[in-house]
């Protein structure tokens, strides 16, 4: 358990450890210029104070994978930033997320029970047809019916639990080839 916490802490800071093959890029850090490893965007519920930090759990689970893990959950996020285009840090966050999503080879979308995650729904709409999305939307997510119907229509890969999410991401990473 202690090593998992250490890996998660290192991941949040964007650090690599000897046991960690994955590179974590946390918003708003620059995305790597080279695309020589598969990129996994960690999209989904982030609602501070509501959604647990599932991104840290996924980073720890994928630490041994030679991938770039793109984490939009930034440790310096301020609720004081207004969600308007004129707010510099808010704009920086949104632009980072859009660029990271566009560059991702795999887009993880975890819509946690008890959250609303409207931006994640927007991102699912933008990328649902791409074939890149792996979706975990358990019972208890406020718009699960909409998500399930949309996923069915557009062939979004759905998984039933966190372990299946990890397994599917690993399978996609094994199939990835530099482009």
């Amino acid at each position: 358990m202690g090593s998992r916490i250490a890996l998660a802490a290192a991941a949040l800071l964007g650090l690599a450890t000897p046991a960690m093959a994955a590179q974590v890029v946390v918003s708003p850090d620059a995305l790597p210029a080279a695309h020589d490893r598969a990129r996994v965007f960690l999209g989904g519920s982030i609602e501070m104070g509501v959604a647990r930090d599932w991104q840290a759990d996924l980073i720890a689970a994928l630490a041994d994978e030679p991938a770039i893990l793109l984490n939009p959950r930034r440790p310096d996020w301020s609720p004081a930033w207004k969600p308007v285009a004129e707010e510099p840090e808010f704009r920086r966050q949104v632009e980072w997320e859009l660029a990271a999503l566009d560059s991702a080879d795999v887009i993880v979308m975890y819509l946690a029970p008890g959250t609303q995650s409207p931006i994640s729904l927007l991102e699912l709409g933008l990328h649902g047809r791409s074939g890149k999305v792996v979706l975990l939307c358990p019972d208890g997510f406020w718009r699960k019916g909409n998500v399930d119907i949309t996923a069915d229509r557009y062939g979004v890969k759905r998984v039933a639990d966190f372990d299946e999410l990890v397994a599917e991401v690993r399978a996609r990473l094994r199939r990835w080839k530099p482009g």
Side-chain angles (χ1 to χ4, degrees):
M1 180 77 158
S3 64
R4 184 173 171 173
I5 292 170
L7 283 174
L12 283 173
L13 297 172
L15 305 174
T17 65
M20 190 169 188
Q23 176 186 350
V24 180
V25 178
V26 179
S27 175
D29 293 344
L31 300 176
H35 199 129
D36 55 353
R37 296 197 278 169
R39 295 178 182 207
V40 180
F41 183 82
L42 309 181
S45 302
I46 293 181
E47 295 167 49
M48 299 300 197
V50 178
R52 80 173 208 281
D53 188 354
W54 65 269
Q55 288 92 348
D57 296 338
L58 188 59
I59 290 166
L62 298 173
D64 61 332
E65 292 287 348
I68 308 288
L69 306 178
L70 305 171
N71 188 1
R73 184 187 286 261
R74 59 191 281 185
D76 66 341
W77 179 259
S78 172
W81 297 335
K82 294 178 184 167
V84 296
E86 298 76 25
E87 174 71 52
E89 282 304 313
F90 180 78
R91 174 178 283 281
R92 188 175 181 200
Q93 177 71 23
V94 172
E95 288 179 349
W96 185 94
E97 289 183 24
L98 292 171
L101 281 158
D102 286 344
S103 78
D105 302 295
V106 179
I107 298 172
V108 170
M109 194 64 56
Y110 172 52
L111 302 173
T115 68
Q116 293 189 345
S117 309
I119 303 311
S120 298
L121 293 174
L122 170 70
E123 293 166 348
L124 178 60
L126 286 170
H127 295 278
R129 294 181 184 200
S130 70
K132 298 178 183 182
V133 177
V134 180
L135 173 65
L136 173 55
C137 185
D139 289 339
F141 181 72
W142 79 296
R143 301 307 280 183
K144 180 172 174 43
N146 294 76
V147 171
D148 287 345
I149 293 165
T150 302
D152 286 344
R153 173 162 288 198
Y154 298 113
V156 174
K157 173 64 178 178
R158 287 185 288 165
V159 296
D161 58 34
F162 191 79
D163 290 339
E164 194 177 336
L165 177 69
V166 172
E168 178 63 25
V169 172
R170 285 183 181 280
R172 289 180 182 221
L173 291 175
R174 280 192 299 276
R175 292 190 303 261
W176 183 81
K177 306 239 185 305

